[in-house]
Amino acid sequence: MSAPRRALVSVSDKTDLVPFISGLVELGFEIISTGGTRRTLHDAGVPVMDISEYTKFPEIMNGRVKTLHPKVHGAILGRPDLADDQAAMAEHGIIPFELVVCNLYPFEETVAREGVTVAEAIEQIDIGGPSMIRSSAKNHAYVGVVTSAAQYNSVLSALKAGPLSEELRRKLAAAAFEMTARYDRAIANYMAGVTAESDEDAETFPQTLSLDYERRATLRYGENPHQQAAFYVEPRAGESTLAATQQLHGKELSYNNLLDLDAALELVREFTTPAAVVLKHNNPCGAAIGDSLAAAFEAAYAGDPISAFGSIIGFNRPVDLATAEQMCDPGKFVEAIIAPGFDDDAFEALTTRPKWKANVRLMSCPALAEQRPESFATRTVGGGVLVQTRDDRPEDPAQWQVVTERQPTDEERTTLDFAWKICKHVKSNAIVFAKQGAVVGVGAGQMSRLDSAFIAAHKSEGRAVGGVVASDAFFPFRDGVDEAAKAGITAVIQPGGSRRDDEVIAACNEHGMTMIFTGCRHFRH
């Protein structure tokens, strides 16, 4: 007589558990379970044996000790085709588990809560769960280990056809080891934080940094067709991030699309009034605010209509029909649009009218306006990774300093604030010309600030007269200010801090310009 098929079930996350276990019972499995999991199954009418009935030893210490028992781990780790293991199992009444279904206490969710205490966090460190998962994964030649509700359907389908294949058991084991590795790293990171020395760097940056991401998609190629690429996301990415954005329409996203969409998302959320931004090669070539989204888009696209061809568009309001109509005008070509949503008639227009209707990617991020969750900004270098906090420090314009003889007018001050927000998202050396709530010229990524000023003046095509200029870092010489004055600029905003600040201030006074020092640099390499 063959041994019964047995499954050990102990889960914290009970999503879709009952139908999965019911399916196992229909396949002839006996179910052994623990604590809350057993109660959930019992209340749903699923036949289940309590772990204590099997081990003949009660759960103790409020459930802290329940599965750490030889009859449990012997049933997981035993190798039925080895004589010594067979003898030990027979002597101690151990019947092997064919399947172990287990997930872990919600440690990461717990420590993410505001105000959680160390004691509360410690109680969410699972001991028995990782032990069972690792034992099962190690012995995957004989045991299938199921650690996620996302695996339930595929495992159940495979079992209906017979015992799990070696290939599937190995895949399940690999996923299990990934889970426990990520779980242990989360605990280690948390403990490093709560035991850190008073040194600020030690509190901000752990001694060991582990970055865990899950593959969302394999991309067609990277920045160039000869490069391979993939998109990985944080396991619990915030609702306001690109990872949480839903694609509603259009062809597959590319590596470069994703970079530009993220840049558009970060820039457009700077504004609370209706705003539109036009991104090209990770730089804004146009941006504007307006009384309506359609007005903002019209002004933003006019900032550099030549560069805007094949651009990424970002909005901080749901796209309405009036705005969609403008994007559908002949001669415009848009690669992708990201917004909190799309009105039905706007969606229909964008997907049925322009020549690019079948290809344009429409991306919905309903939580766009929410603050991005705190996380590090990282960049890889040969053999390592550079890590920094994000450039999202709140700024108070009331603390800015006017350093020239002339004070800015109210309109100039408003436009300076707008241009400063845009400049923060332009590659260094960054120069932004703006007028009446719209960008009219951008110089980005140049080796000298003067070159960027030349380019911004060229792009403005005479529209900068009476406008303002923002510079992401100080002007090292007066030549950049002189170039802006030639374009008709009347107001300047920059961090200040150069050895030649007096020279630059004097230049502004000579031109009748006003200038603000913010005291904060925004390099973006």
Side-chain angles (χ1 to χ4, degrees), residues 102 104 130 132-134 136-138 145-147 151 169-183:
C102 186
L104 306 176
M132 289 188 292
I133 290 171
R134 287 179 61 84
S136 306
K138 175 178 180 176
V145 55
V146 182
T147 54
Q151 299 167 337
R169 292 196 306 272
R170 186 170 289 125
K171 286 182 178 180
L172 293 171
F177 282 126
E178 285 184 6
M179 169 193 269
T180 57
R182 186 169 67 241
Y183 193 77

Side-chain angles (χ1 to χ4, degrees), residues 344-519:
D344 290 344
D345 48 6
F347 184 90
E348 181 180 3
L350 291 167
T351 57
T352 60
R353 295 189 193 175
K355 290 182 180 179
W356 34 266
K357 58 191 178 185
N359 294 325
V360 63
R361 296 90 164 171
L362 301 185
M363 310 297 294
S364 174
C365 183
L368 180 150
E370 295 180 10
Q371 186 68 27
R372 180 175 181 157
E374 287 187 15
S375 62
F376 292 135
T378 61
R379 184 177 295 182
T380 58
V381 293
V385 60
L386 295 172
V387 180
Q388 64 176 346
T389 57
R390 295 192 177 277
D391 184 11
D392 55 6
R393 187 185 78 172
E395 294 194 58
D396 181 6
Q399 301 302 314
W400 294 348
Q401 181 184 8
V402 179
V403 294
T404 49
E405 295 171 357
R406 185 171 75 80
Q407 293 285 319
T409 65
D410 289 344
E411 182 178 344
E412 285 175 330
R413 187 176 282 276
T414 298
T415 309
L416 286 166
D417 180 71
F418 167 81
W420 187 241
K421 286 184 171 71
I422 300 295
C423 194
K424 174 180 170 183
H425 296 268
V426 177
K427 300 291 187 181
S428 297
N429 289 309
I431 294 290
V432 173
F433 285 5
K435 185 177 179 180
Q436 297 176 339
V439 168
V440 295
V442 175
Q446 299 305 302
M447 283 64 76
S448 87
R449 199 158 297 277
L450 179 59
D451 287 342
S452 291
F454 280 137
I455 293 171
H458 169 71
K459 290 287 189 180
S460 69
E461 297 181 325
R463 295 171 295 150
V465 176
V468 310
V469 61
S471 174
D472 64 341
F474 61 66
F475 286 98
F477 304 98
R478 64 171 289 165
D479 52 7
V481 169
D482 291 335
E483 187 63 30
K486 291 178 187 176
I489 293 295
T490 63
V492 182
I493 188 168
Q494 59 137 319
S498 168
R499 291 184 300 170
R500 294 183 174 84
D501 276 348
D502 289 344
E503 178 183 320
V504 175
I505 293 169
C508 285
N509 287 330
E510 289 175 22
H511 295 300
M513 302 165 77
T514 182
M515 183 163 63
I516 288 176
F517 281 1
T518 67

